[in-house]
Amino acid sequence: MADITPEVRALMRPSAAALEPYDPAFSPVDVILSANENNYGIPSEVAPILAEAVAGAAWNRYPAPLGGRLRARLAAWHGVAPEQVIIGNGGDELLFNLFLAFGGAGHTLVSCPPTFSVYGLYASMVETPVAEVFRGRDFAPNVDALAEAARTATLVVVTSPNNPTGDLFPREGVRRLCEACPGIVLVDEAYIEFSDPGSSVDDLLGEYENLAVLHTFSKAFALAGTRVGYVLAGAPVVAALAAVRQPYSVSAPDQAAALAAVTHREAFRPAIEAIRLGRGRLSAMLGGLASLGVRVWPSQANFVCARVPHAHDVWRRLRDEHSILVRDFSSTPGLEGCLRITVGTPGEIDLVAAALDTILKGE
Ligand SMILES: *Cc1c(COP(=O)(O)O)cnc(C)c1O
């Protein structure tokens, strides 16, 4: 990627001129455990159905702006009205639209770092001041301080399970934030399908008009390549998000793929269950390296966060000597020494555990 020259930067909106192009630090490797994708892919019995649905999409027509059948199917699944569902070009577009609609100068965001970096990025793009309430020991959120900050916020964003720490945000905490905040409380549930049953706060939507819940097809539903996400919220909040969206942001083939996935969602359960089991096995293997200085935190997502000695070096050696890519958070404030490892297939779990063992034992 070329640099932004000073001449070009001088032409940019000031909040954009402060940014650099996003670099996911991807390198071609054999084992990709860096982006929390579903390494099992689309279940074999669903793949041909999905392919047929995509091929049969109306390629020459503009897609249904608000998702048509997909929206209706999502509403039926979650037991809400279609007016309470909005789809986006990945969860990322919906997050951006949330800041477009509810952020801006004079509109404060409350966030709970360390967490998904995209919130801060989008907030800064639209000049939104951010009040950060840092997590405490073992990444526990400070709900009292969050609720206090929420009293003067336009937007509160919490992530459950949190990326990259893996913990659920307490349900009682979500209630307190909804009650304290005069603005919108978004709970980002991108990984909720990997959590214990009953972990979602979707069922609180009927109680709080200012609650919004983000979901995506990129993680459990193995469709990161299609770019479809959705928000469930009260109809007026959905209307506000609809007002700022690009009308045709979710393509007809992507809508068709997501519709097929929702329709056949039961078929994704075995892989989700396998990932949950794999998560336990990976955590136990990392826990077994405690004498070498490794610390692993419990996770309700499809990744684990682990602190390892010389983390950046370990990250580089995993990539260069073992062709395994994980995510390096070791220079992120609050995550010193931490790597995030996606739970892959059983074979991939064995490979990353063995590689870490080799590197840390200095062999
Ligand atoms: C992956 C992710 C998303 C959404 O990703 P999309 O691919 O844009 O749908 C949202 N929030 C968190 C915390 C994520 O990790």
Side-chain angles (χ1 to χ4, degrees):
M1 176 91 56
D3 286 334
I4 307 173
T5 58
E7 293 74 20
V8 168
R9 216 179 277 277
L11 301 172
M12 293 172 74
R13 171 182 177 151
S15 57
L19 305 171
E20 297 297 336
Y22 178 69
D23 174 12
F26 184 77
S27 351
V29 289
D30 293 336
V31 179
I32 304 171
L33 304 176
S34 59
N36 300 339
E37 296 149 338
N38 180 338
N39 286 5
Y40 285 80
I42 306 291
S44 56
E45 66 271 39
V46 180
I49 301 170
L50 192 140
E52 199 179 323
V54 168
W59 290 71
N60 63 323
R61 301 292 174 200
Y62 284 100
L66 294 174
R69 290 172 63 203
L70 174 59
R71 187 191 208 194
R73 192 70 56 89
L74 287 168
W77 170 22
H78 289 288
V80 298
E83 293 70 31
Q84 291 182 269
V85 182
I86 185 153
I87 62 166
N89 188 265
D92 283 356
E93 185 201 14
L94 293 158
L95 289 170
F96 188 68
N97 289 348
L98 187 80
F99 286 98
L100 266 185
F102 297 103
H107 294 228
T108 307
L109 162 73
V110 171
S111 83
C112 186
T115 188
F116 195 37
S117 60
V118 157
Y119 315 137
L121 173 68
Y122 291 170
S124 69
M125 273 189 203
V126 294
E127 291 106 12
T128 311
V130 184
E132 296 189 313
V133 179
F134 265 83
R135 290 160 177 266
R137 205 159 61 91
D138 289 330
F139 307 122
N142 184 340
V143 176
D144 288 340
L146 282 166
E148 182 57 32
R151 290 174 53 202
T152 51
T154 334
L155 252 182
V156 178
V157 177
V158 295
T159 317
S160 185
N162 188 43
N163 177 5
T165 58
D167 53 315
L168 290 168
F169 194 88
R171 190 181 176 75
E172 207 43 47
V174 172
R175 284 181 174 281
R176 283 185 61 194
L177 294 179
C178 289
E179 283 159 21
C181 185
I184 310 297
V185 176
L186 179 89
V187 182
D188 182 341
E189 294 193 346
Y191 299 98
I192 201 70
E193 294 87 354
F194 301 106
S195 309
D196 295 340
S199 298
S200 173
V201 295
D202 280 345
D203 60 305
L204 298 182
L205 285 164
E207 272 181 71
Y208 299 107
E209 288 175 0
N210 60 342
L211 175 65
V213 185
L214 178 74
H215 293 279
T216 178
F217 285 92
S218 297
K219 310 289 166 45
F221 290 103
L223 285 173
T226 62
R227 314 304 304 131
V228 189
Y230 58 103
V231 160
L232 307 178
V237 172
V238 164
L241 292 172
V244 298
R245 79 191 290 274
Q246 296 180 47
Y248 304 117
S249 65
V250 186
S251 75
D254 282 359
Q255 290 189 27
L259 180 64
V262 179
T263 306
H264 299 281
R265 59 186 178 276
E266 288 306 317
F268 290 78
R269 271 189 197 282
I272 292 171
E273 206 38 57
I275 290 166
R276 283 168 52 88
L277 284 172
R279 176 178 72 201
R281 210 162 61 83
L282 176 62
S283 301
M285 285 167 141
L286 294 170
L289 301 176
S291 63
L292 300 173
V294 175
R295 167 87 199 271
V296 60
W297 280 269
S299 171
Q300 286 280 312
N302 67 338
F303 54 83
V304 298
C305 181
R307 181 166 288 158
V308 303
H310 313 291
H312 180 71
D313 246 29
V314 170
W315 171 81
R316 190 184 43 76
R317 291 184 61 191
L318 281 173
R319 184 193 62 186
D320 297 345
E321 295 167 17
H322 299 269
S323 200
I324 299 172
L325 192 66
V326 301
R327 191 69 186 265
D328 179 12
F329 282 98
S330 60
S331 52
T332 301
L335 294 170
E336 291 78 12
C338 289
L339 303 178
R340 187 193 68 194
I341 307 171
T342 303
V343 179
T345 61
E348 292 170 332
I349 292 169
D350 291 339
L351 285 173
V352 72
L356 278 169
D357 193 78
T358 303
I359 293 170
L360 292 170
K361 284 187 176 145
E363 280 156 20

